[in-house]
Amino acid sequence: MDEQRMTGETGDGNAVIDQKLRQFFDGKIVRKDLTKKIKEGANVPVYVLEFLLGQYCSSDDPEVIETGVENVKRILADNYVRPDEAQKILSMLRQRGMHTVIDKITVNLNMKKDTYEAEFSNLGIKNIPISEDYPAKFDRLLCGGIWCIVQLEYEFLEEEKNASPIHIRKLTPIQMPHVDIEELKEGRKNFTEEEWLEIMLRSCGYEPDKLNDRERWLLLARMLPLVENNFNLCELGPRSTGKSHIYKEISPNSILVSGGQTTVANLFYNMGRKTVGLVGLWDCVAFDEVAGINFKDKDGIQIMKDYMASGSFARGKEEKAATASMVFVGNINQSVDVLLKTSSLFDPFPPEMGTDTAFLDRMHCYIPGWEIPKFRPEHFTNDYGFITDYLAEFIRELRKEQYGDALDKYFRLGKNLNQRDTIAVRKMVGGMIKLLYPDGEFTKEQLEEILKFALEMRRRVKEQLKKLGGMEFYDVNFSYIDNDTFEEHFVSVPEQGGGKLIPEGMCNPGQVYTVSQGKSGMIGVFRLESQMLPGNGKFERTGLNSDGKCKEAANTAFNYLKANGNRISGTISTTTKDYIINYQDLQGIGMTEKLALPTLIALCSIALGKPTLSSLAVLGEISIAGTMLKVDELANALQVCLDSGAKKVLLPITSAADLGTAPADLIGCFNLIFYQSAEDAVYKALGVE
């Protein structure tokens, strides 16, 4: 289907879309290649540029377009105020008596004088009197300001020394002063789902013809924080996939915190000045390069957690609420397979966030950035799309509407979703509906597609939590139930199937996998590989560095073998052979101290030349006298066995009583093999009856 789309059909399809756009959204669309041409030379926000292009270049005639582009370039060259040239422009205004500027204007009400006063951002002047008609007409002047073209006059009167010599003659907003949301909904009815998706992507500057369906959906998902209140999104992936582009360039309502260094006062609330921080002023706060996020205050992450969960935070004596979404973007330096095997997908985060399950559980959506292609020139569109300002404004308007309950009509969520999962899925479903079906008209099949996507994006978060937090997050089998047929459909995560730590099939003799608690307190998988050489009974251990307790456990096993080797088999010699064992910590959580039993099995396996059973994980430990020790945190250990690909688990009989702590469906995944003693463990591991 994609190939067909990329060849002959695209031209015709795009022509139809363009024609419809000109018919229903005239004056609100722009050709994106014109934006690219001028943007490269002028450092003005995209939304300012596109507004001007929409005014002067909304035609099919190449000559009209060319003249329009020249006009826009001239206007920008003559009237756009660069902050470093502010004094030069003021001097020019004084000489000429009149001048037109393009600048960001904010209006405040001066209550002492009962007048409105304008402030110019780049020009650096404030307290300029302005007619009250403008704030009444364009209310956004009062809410954070908008970019305008302003005709200024300069007249200095001796008798009015205190009054400003600068007067505003005429003001025209460059940004959309008001968006008619009903008009948008009516316009949407004339497009199919496919067409509308293409328009949305083109409005952000992407070329959908060069993307497959999956990539289109993932790029659209980046807009969720702009259309949903208090939405927490994370995207980690390779470099140059445009992760921060949308938050920096496309929307005037989002801010990108570069570098990651921030303070509680800047982000949430400044107690000295009594002013609210970024979360109160913007719709979306994005952190670029998550690896560098660093709060100067100790309580920064705690306040952030509070805010991400409830949309409010307490500072000093009062509680403040805000609606800004949080976005975390960053780079993954290894391949995804390596990350999944050795640590979690949240690995690039700083350690105080990346291992804090309470913080990560608040993430509503994790976009797999590694599935998005690296952007090349052909990925950027030359076709028509909405003026970014119009796009940003109607998206902002849609934040007021709620569609989270839309799925209840056709579907129910499965029992594995807890409250946080449910909130996350509902938010995503609501957000995707707003982006794709702002008119609120969609079929059951279309809703199902959105629901599957939302479940997968949240499950990715949950899967990583399970890795970090163990049994607490074991319920990851997300599903939804059809209200008509009562069928339950499960949703998986594509990358999860890959690479198991414990391989299927027979291993080499002397290779043993054990699951136990590492130095960091987390449960992980460890591999032992052994070798036997002719010699005089030496025992070498590699991979343990200088860890005394681990070496002690390994020696315990060798001494046990020396004392009891004949009981296991008469062919095992500890005097005419040398043994070498290499220990590997497969998940980087610190070496375990429970190594005596796995070492004994590895020594016997290499000495007898018999491999262990396929897909076997060894649990439990023995003392020097051969006493069996119970498994700590049995349920968590079994969960790790399952994730690592083990099918058989060797357990001490003393742990049988603890099986009640593990869920039945988890126990049902394994063939459990119980052993009564150290010798019994060796026989059963090697499959000797």
Side-chain angles (χ1 to χ4, degrees):
M1 177 183 106
D2 285 343
E3 282 177 22
Q4 212 178 3
R5 189 189 293 143
M6 287 183 189
T7 51
E9 285 185 13
T10 52
D12 310 339
N14 291 352
V16 171
I17 295 177
D18 294 349
Q19 189 217 331
K20 283 189 191 175
L21 275 174
R22 279 198 293 280
Q23 187 180 344
F24 299 107
F25 293 102
D26 192 36
K28 299 183 180 74
I29 54 170
V30 66
R31 256 187 43 206
K32 296 288 173 175
D33 57 330
L34 304 177
T35 311
K36 279 192 294 192
K37 273 181 197 161
I38 303 181
K39 177 72 182 139
E40 284 155 11
N43 194 10
V44 0
V46 172
Y47 41 91
V48 172
L49 184 57
E50 291 197 348
F51 183 88
L52 294 171
L53 288 169
Q55 298 282 310
Y56 289 95
C57 308
S58 63
S59 161
D60 286 339
D61 188 343
E63 283 181 20
V64 175
I65 287 177
E66 202 162 318
T67 321
V69 169
E70 289 310 313
N71 280 337
V72 171
K73 281 183 178 170
R74 196 188 67 251
I75 291 170
L76 285 173
D78 295 349
N79 307 118
Y80 176 67
V81 179
R82 285 177 42 185
D84 55 339
E85 291 182 353
Q87 289 303 316
K88 178 181 155 189
I89 287 174
L90 289 172
S91 160
M92 198 189 299
L93 171 65
R94 181 173 170 265
Q95 283 165 10
R96 294 183 183 170
M98 258 174 100
H99 188 60
T100 304
V101 297
I102 296 177
D103 202 347
K104 189 171 185 180
I105 315 286
T106 315
V107 174
N108 299 308
L109 173 63
N110 184 337
M111 291 191 194
K112 287 181 182 168
K113 294 183 184 173
D114 191 31
T115 57
Y116 285 99
E117 293 175 344
E119 183 179 337
F120 289 66
S121 167
N122 286 0
L123 205 51
I125 54 174
K126 50 185 177 187
N127 306 339
I128 308 296
I130 181 169
S131 157
E132 60 187 61
D133 298 346
Y134 291 119
K137 206 166 103 202
F138 313 123
D139 52 1
R140 281 188 62 198
L141 284 165
L142 299 161
C143 326
I146 48 178
W147 283 80
C148 304
I149 297 180
V150 190
Q151 290 180 11
L152 295 176
E153 286 182 328
Y154 192 97
E155 190 181 2
F156 183 77
L157 298 169
E158 203 60 53
E159 58 269 21
E160 293 179 24
K161 278 197 174 171
N162 293 337
S164 164
I166 298 174
H167 304 284
I168 294 173
R169 189 172 167 198
K170 187 178 176 200
L171 177 146
T172 315
I174 288 183
Q175 286 174 252
M176 298 275 165
H178 174 68
V179 168
D180 184 352
I181 200 79
E182 291 308 316
E183 182 190 27
L184 171 91
K185 290 179 177 179
E186 279 307 308
R188 165 67 183 91
K189 290 185 169 57
N190 302 291
F191 297 87
T192 64
E193 177 200 4
E194 184 86 0
E195 289 173 341
W196 189 255
L197 178 58
E198 287 189 16
I199 294 168
M200 291 297 276
L201 292 176
R202 284 203 184 106
S203 304
C204 297
Y206 309 119
E207 178 46 70
D209 290 339
K210 297 284 184 246
L211 303 164
N212 60 32
D213 280 343
R214 173 83 171 162
E215 290 162 356
R216 292 174 173 200
W217 275 69
L218 291 174
L219 287 176
L220 190 68
R222 285 179 177 171
M223 296 168 78
L224 285 169
L226 298 170
V227 78
E228 274 294 310
N229 292 324
N230 301 107
F231 186 81
N232 310 318
L233 174 131
C234 161
E235 180 180 350
L236 303 176
R239 287 159 183 77
S240 74
T241 53
K243 293 187 285 290
S244 55
H245 164 76
I246 200 157
Y247 310 111
K248 193 171 173 69
E249 293 287 347
I250 302 299
S251 173
N253 308 318
S254 71
I255 186 166
L256 189 72
V257 180
S258 310
Q261 185 85 356
T262 185
T263 60
V264 172
N266 177 33
L267 197 57
F268 295 106
Y269 189 72
N270 188 326
M271 288 171 68
R273 292 191 194 151
K274 298 262 188 296
T275 53
V276 74
L278 297 176
V279 293
L281 302 172
W282 298 87
D283 287 353
C284 170
V285 179
F287 291 90
D288 203 3
E289 301 302 334
V290 290
I293 295 179
N294 182 6
F295 275 100
K296 289 182 179 165
D297 322 69
K298 283 198 172 65
D299 57 350
I301 289 177
Q302 287 305 323
I303 294 177
M304 194 177 227
K305 281 197 297 203
D306 181 20
Y307 175 73
M308 284 166 73
S310 61
S312 60
F313 54 92
R315 285 286 279 160
K317 291 180 180 171
E318 46 196 327
E319 190 169 33
K320 298 278 174 197
T323 59
S325 299
M326 292 276 193
V327 175
F328 301 87
V329 294
N331 298 322
I332 287 183
N333 297 319
Q334 301 137 300
S335 78
V336 175
D337 290 351
V338 170
L339 270 186
L340 283 171
K341 277 187 185 178
T342 57
S343 59
S344 81
L345 289 178
F346 288 113
D347 193 51
F349 275 85
E352 60 271 21
M353 292 177 164
T355 54
D356 182 347
T357 50
F359 170 79
L360 299 173
D361 196 16
R362 289 161 164 77
M363 287 291 172
H364 295 132
C365 170
Y366 187 136
I367 297 179
W370 51 91
E371 291 188 37
I372 292 171
K374 286 188 177 256
F375 280 117
R376 294 189 302 278
E378 64 263 26
H379 285 117
F380 294 101
T381 188
N382 293 329
D383 227 316
Y384 281 95
F386 290 128
I387 296 170
T388 38
D389 193 51
Y390 179 68
L391 175 78
E393 277 315 298
F394 81 67
I395 280 183
R396 188 177 201 183
E397 217 42 46
L398 286 170
R399 285 173 83 93
K400 297 172 186 169
E401 302 193 9
Q402 290 303 323
Y403 286 114
D405 55 354
L407 60 93
D408 297 339
K409 188 175 170 189
Y410 301 111
F411 304 104
R412 281 201 323 276
L413 295 172
K415 62 178 188 303
N416 265 355
L417 282 89
N418 62 26
Q419 182 61 15
R420 274 207 176 128
D421 304 326
T422 308
I423 291 171
V425 168
R426 285 189 182 280
K427 275 188 180 260
M428 269 184 280
V429 168
M432 289 305 264
I433 288 175
K434 288 179 201 177
L435 292 169
L436 285 170
Y437 313 104
D439 52 343
E441 290 182 17
F442 45 86
T443 62
K444 181 177 174 181
E445 285 70 33
Q446 289 168 330
L447 184 64
E448 189 168 13
E449 193 177 11
I450 290 176
L451 181 57
K452 278 182 189 163
F453 181 79
L455 284 164
E456 181 210 318
M457 295 295 132
R458 173 64 189 174
R459 180 167 175 178
R460 186 168 288 107
V461 175
K462 199 77 179 279
E463 287 280 1
Q464 303 316 306
L465 286 171
K466 186 173 85 171
K467 266 196 171 165
L468 295 164
M471 215 51 230
E472 188 185 346
F473 302 101
Y474 90 98
D475 44 355
V476 293
N477 290 320
F478 284 8
S479 61
Y480 62 93
I481 299 156
D482 190 317
N483 284 345
D484 298 335
T485 60
F486 297 111
E487 266 183 90
E488 190 165 13
H489 302 272
F490 288 88
V491 174
S492 60
V493 185
E495 68 272 4
Q496 212 50 40
K500 298 290 187 198
L501 288 172
I502 302 177
E504 284 188 44
M506 286 303 229
C507 300
N508 297 327
Q511 195 171 345
V512 173
Y513 290 88
T514 181
V515 171
S516 55
Q517 205 168 23
K519 251 207 179 59
S520 62
M522 286 171 65
I523 295 176
V525 185
F526 304 89
R527 178 164 66 202
L528 285 70
E529 290 181 300
S530 48
Q531 204 54 53
M532 180 172 74
L533 306 163
N536 51 8
K538 283 198 197 110
F539 177 47
E540 262 186 67
R541 308 153 307 247
T542 60
L544 294 179
N545 301 327
S546 57
D547 198 311
K549 286 194 170 169
C550 298
K551 286 183 173 173
E552 202 177 296
N555 289 341
T556 299
F558 193 62
N559 293 335
Y560 185 85
L561 188 66
K562 274 185 188 169
N564 304 299
N566 291 340
R567 290 199 349 231
I568 296 171
S569 168
T571 55
I572 298 176
S573 167
T574 51
T575 51
T576 60
K577 299 278 191 270
D578 287 351
Y579 296 90
I580 306 167
I581 295 194
N582 174 251
Y583 296 87
Q584 291 167 0
D585 169 9
L586 293 181
Q587 290 172 303
I589 59 170
M591 189 47 76
T592 179
E593 292 166 6
K594 297 185 172 61
L595 290 173
L597 182 70
T599 305
L600 179 66
I601 294 172
L603 288 167
C604 294
S605 168
I606 192 80
L608 298 168
K610 274 187 83 69
T612 61
L613 298 169
S614 68
S615 312
L616 176 75
V618 173
L619 271 65
E621 182 61 323
I622 54 164
S623 68
I624 184 83
T627 316
M628 291 184 297
L629 305 176
K630 269 185 23 172
V631 180
D632 301 329
E633 300 183 48
L634 181 64
N636 283 345
L638 287 174
Q639 186 64 55
V640 172
C641 291
L642 179 67
D643 295 343
S644 315
K647 305 260 180 15
K648 303 182 183 82
V649 175
L650 195 64
L651 272 178
I653 194 76
T654 47
S655 288
D658 296 346
L659 283 174
T661 61
D665 50 352
L666 180 62
I667 297 169
C669 298
F670 303 108
N671 176 2
L672 298 179
I673 307 167
F674 291 101
Y675 57 90
Q676 314 271 355
S677 64
E679 290 90 348
D680 190 30
V682 171
Y683 291 145
K684 284 181 173 163
L686 302 180
V688 180
E689 291 304 321

